[in-house]
Amino acid sequence: MSFNDSSSEVINKYRGTVSGRWFDLINLQLQKHGVDPLPPEHFNIPLESWSYCDRPVPVDGARRLLYWAVEQTDNPLLPVDLGLSLQPLDIKSLGIVLWSAASLRQRIEKLEMYQSLVTTTTRIIFNEKAGTATLLLIDSDALDKQVNLTTHGMMALVSAVTRVIRWDNEAKITIHLPFEQPTYHKRLEGKLESTLKFSMSQFRIEFSVDALDQPLRTSDPELLQANESLVQKKLLMIEKSNLVLKVSRSLLELSPLIPPTTGEMASLMNMSSRTFQRKLTELGLSYRELVNKIRHEKAIALIESGDTPLSTVAYELGFGDLSSFSRAFKSWTGLSPRKYHNVQSFNV
């Protein structure tokens, strides 16, 4: 995979969402380059053209617009500029919650908790290991390449998360990128002000745990509490309207992840089995594919943590034995779980 990937195949399924505010930020980048934005209907966005605010919009529209912006400006670093331009008020109440956190740890925990307000197609997972704090960004639609945020979108997200970490913090950051080193890597490193590692397995942001609990100058408990109630309401609205997100959350809460039958999950979603399957089919997805997607995501997170035996990972994912898990994992990633684990250990 290359950061220069600019495939723009037509996407017809609406499954994931991103904050509509990203559209405003992309258009601001276009204006800086002297490019007139196109109307939203060009990208299949059913919203007013004057502002998208922070309402969720289809991720395929975001993908089309970002690809178009990179092509029109001939600037492969535009997604990075986009992410690094992020200010607290750009993401409204969520931005205020993150800005007013007492510590970087609390800021990251809130980001992990409310990440669906930013995008529902990428999972941000926070963990600590051997003195290193890690934010793992997992493409939760990895089994359906048509609706991925794509490399450009992921670079915008990585850059935005890096920006959020540094709003009131000077943490030294290392970023893992799953693509080959581009010719402009020095410019990329300079913009992100981070150490970059290329050809890695996942998008990952690392920094010392020493930065986690240092008090932030922008801390404001009252401001955080007042805005968090608004954030919680917005999150509830998104989850109620997104079937894939609701099913995914139900599956992720299972330990071990032994999936309910189609009929049982349909009942949990308060609908008949037939309606449940029809709604998923309309989204170009089957229940089995969704289960595999969540298992894939959880497997990566557990293996990346570095301290979970593979036999335990297999158990947590609901597999009867290690060999069954190994076959499934290889079908998802092209590597056996042991080889994947060894690669991660070597890279660390």
Side-chain angles (χ1 to χ4, degrees):
M1 178 169 57
S2 167
F3 184 26
N4 290 316
D5 172 28
S6 60
S7 171
S8 57
E9 68 270 21
V10 175
I11 306 162
N12 296 315
K13 300 301 181 184
Y14 168 44
R15 187 181 310 162
T17 61
V18 295
S19 168
R21 183 56 178 154
W22 285 111
F23 283 78
D24 290 330
L25 296 176
I26 294 172
N27 284 333
L28 286 174
Q29 290 294 322
L30 286 169
Q31 290 173 17
K32 288 181 180 179
H33 287 81
V35 178
D36 293 329
L38 291 177
E41 55 266 25
H42 184 84
F43 304 101
N44 294 336
I45 304 302
L47 294 176
E48 299 86 348
S49 60
W50 62 271
S51 178
Y52 302 98
C53 300
D54 59 348
R55 289 169 289 185
V57 296
V59 70
D60 64 296
R63 178 183 186 178
R64 295 167 196 258
L65 176 57
L66 187 54
Y67 270 137
W68 184 81
V70 170
E71 291 171 354
Q72 292 298 308
T73 60
D74 193 26
N75 179 18
L77 291 177
L78 184 142
V80 177
D81 293 333
L82 171 66
L84 293 178
S85 70
L86 189 70
Q87 299 295 333
L89 290 179
D90 287 332
I91 44 177
K92 304 297 179 69
S93 52
L94 175 59
I96 296 173
V97 166
L98 301 178
W99 174 261
S100 57
S103 65
L104 184 56
R105 179 188 299 277
Q106 187 182 41
R107 179 178 292 171
I108 290 172
E109 288 174 346
K110 297 296 184 185
L111 177 61
E112 184 180 29
M113 185 181 304
Y114 301 123
Q115 59 187 276
S116 294
L117 294 180
V118 180
T119 173
T120 64
T121 60
T122 301
R123 289 283 296 166
I124 301 173
I125 299 175
F126 169 53
N127 61 54
E128 302 171 54
K129 178 192 173 187
T132 300
T134 299
L135 281 171
L136 184 64
L137 286 78
I138 301 178
D139 178 9
S140 61
D141 271 315
L143 297 183
D144 183 355
K145 299 303 180 184
Q146 281 197 312
V147 294
N148 292 347
L149 273 176
T150 74
T151 307
H152 286 317
M154 288 299 294
M155 283 305 300
L157 183 60
V158 167
S159 303
V161 173
T162 301
R163 173 68 172 158
V164 168
I165 292 172
R166 287 191 172 137
W167 271 344
D168 189 27
N169 193 288
E170 297 181 357
K172 294 182 179 180
I173 292 174
T174 297
I175 301 176
H176 290 208
L177 301 170
F179 52 80
E180 297 176 359
Q181 179 176 292
T183 56
Y184 46 83
H185 65 95
K186 291 293 185 182
R187 291 167 54 207
L188 181 59
E189 193 168 50
K191 283 182 177 290
L192 290 169
E193 297 182 323
S194 304
T195 300
L196 305 183
K197 293 185 177 182
F198 296 95
S199 300
M200 308 300 278
S201 61
Q202 299 287 335
F203 288 95
R204 180 163 55 184
I205 299 172
E206 296 179 340
F207 53 92
S208 172
V209 295
D210 295 338
L212 283 174
D213 296 312
Q214 295 177 8
L216 299 178
R217 294 190 300 273
T218 55
S219 173
D220 189 328
E222 292 183 1
L223 188 62
L224 187 151
Q225 184 177 8
N227 282 273
E228 190 162 22
S229 61
L230 297 174
V231 169
Q232 290 169 344
K233 290 178 181 178
K234 290 179 181 178
L235 182 65
L236 185 60
M237 288 176 61
I238 288 177
E239 291 182 343
K240 280 185 175 180
S241 62
N242 190 313
L243 177 61
V244 171
L245 193 60
K246 286 196 293 184
V247 174
S248 298
R249 186 174 294 278
S250 295
L251 291 171
L252 285 168
E253 290 174 351
L254 298 175
S255 183
L257 203 166
I258 299 175
T261 65
T262 302
E264 290 169 341
M265 181 58 75
S267 295
L268 288 173
M269 297 297 109
N270 297 313
M271 60 184 71
S272 69
S273 178
R274 190 171 184 175
T275 299
F276 177 65
Q277 293 183 76
R278 176 177 56 79
K279 286 182 176 293
L280 287 179
T281 300
E282 289 172 353
L283 295 172
L285 188 69
S286 71
Y287 178 52
R288 181 177 181 179
E289 288 172 333
L290 185 52
V291 169
N292 284 335
K293 179 177 76 71
I294 296 303
R295 279 178 159 168
H296 179 189
E297 175 185 321
K298 192 168 184 177
I300 294 295
L302 289 171
I303 294 174
E304 288 271 350
S305 71
D307 53 7
T308 307
L310 294 180
S311 58
T312 302
V313 176
Y315 170 78
E316 286 295 328
L317 294 178
F319 287 94
D321 53 69
L322 184 56
S323 61
S324 297
F325 164 60
S326 296
R327 287 194 298 272
F329 189 86
K330 190 169 184 177
S331 72
W332 300 331
T333 66
L335 296 174
S336 70
R338 194 170 303 281
K339 186 172 183 179
Y340 185 94
H341 178 269
N342 290 340
V343 169
Q344 297 314 304
S345 299
F346 176 77
N347 288 335
V348 172

